């Protein structure tokens, strides 16, 4: 730790202020959201990403089982939509089902058959 004389204090405070400004700038830069790039995929890229054959993927598109965009004769897939599609098929674990059970039981009590 440096010891400053009374005469050196204004210079030391100025240096300290500059360093704090630099730290603040770095913190503000790191807090800014990173712009998300929209990753568009061709059918071949989507098939590879999903680990499916192109033919299987065409079948899913034909049966409207998977999110797809069509421009002219070309098919395009958004990576984020494919990730959401995969997540939508997630099977719940036993603990998740147990947590959900009380709300299901309460919901059925009010119904009449």
């Amino acid at each position: 730790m440096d010891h400053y004389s009374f005469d050196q204090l204004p210079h030391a405070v100025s240096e300290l202020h500059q360093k704090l400004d630099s730290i603040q700038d770095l913190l503000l830069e790191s807090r800014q959201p990173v712009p998300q790039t929209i990753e568009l995929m061709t059918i071949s890229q989507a098939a590879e990403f999903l680990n499916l054959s192109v033919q299987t993927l065409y079948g899913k598109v034909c049966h409207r089982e998977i999110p797809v965009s069509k421009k002219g004769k070309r098919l395009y897939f958004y990576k984020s939509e494919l990730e959401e599609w995969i997540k939508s098929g997630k099977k719940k674990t036993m603990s998740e089902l147990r947590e959900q059970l009380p709300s299901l039981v309460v919901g059925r009590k009010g119904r009449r058959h």
Side-chain angles (χ1 to χ4, degrees):
M1 187 156 116
D2 293 333
H3 294 283
Y4 296 99
S5 70
F6 183 76
D7 293 334
Q8 294 172 322
L9 281 178
H11 180 68
V13 169
S14 176
E15 283 183 16
L16 183 60
H17 191 269
Q18 288 174 352
K19 289 179 181 181
L20 284 174
D21 283 344
S22 297
I23 292 169
Q24 183 180 19
D25 290 343
L26 287 171
L27 288 172
L28 289 173
E29 285 176 19
S30 68
R31 289 179 61 197
Q32 292 180 357
V34 177
Q36 290 186 350
T37 56
I38 298 174
E39 193 169 337
L40 203 55
M41 293 189 232
T42 63
I43 193 152
S44 300
Q45 292 168 325
E48 184 176 338
F49 174 72
L50 296 170
N51 199 23
L52 297 172
S53 71
V54 171
Q55 186 174 355
T56 299
L57 190 52
Y58 271 120
K60 291 190 177 300
V61 167
C62 185
H63 291 104
R64 298 183 183 268
E65 295 176 12
I66 194 163
V68 64
S69 296
K70 187 174 180 183
K71 188 71 175 173
K73 293 183 177 184
R74 295 210 173 241
L75 299 176
Y76 298 98
F77 300 84
Y78 291 98
K79 184 176 182 180
S80 60
E81 289 181 351
L82 294 178
E83 289 170 340
E84 286 301 315
W85 177 76
I86 292 168
K87 289 177 188 175
S88 71
K90 179 184 177 286
K91 302 287 185 189
K92 293 187 178 184
T93 63
M94 288 303 288
S95 61
E96 289 172 331
L97 290 171
R98 281 188 205 104
E99 287 175 15
Q100 192 178 7
L101 188 60
S103 64
L104 292 174
V105 172
V106 170
R108 295 192 123 226
K109 286 182 181 179
R111 294 185 186 164
R112 293 185 185 234
H113 293 284

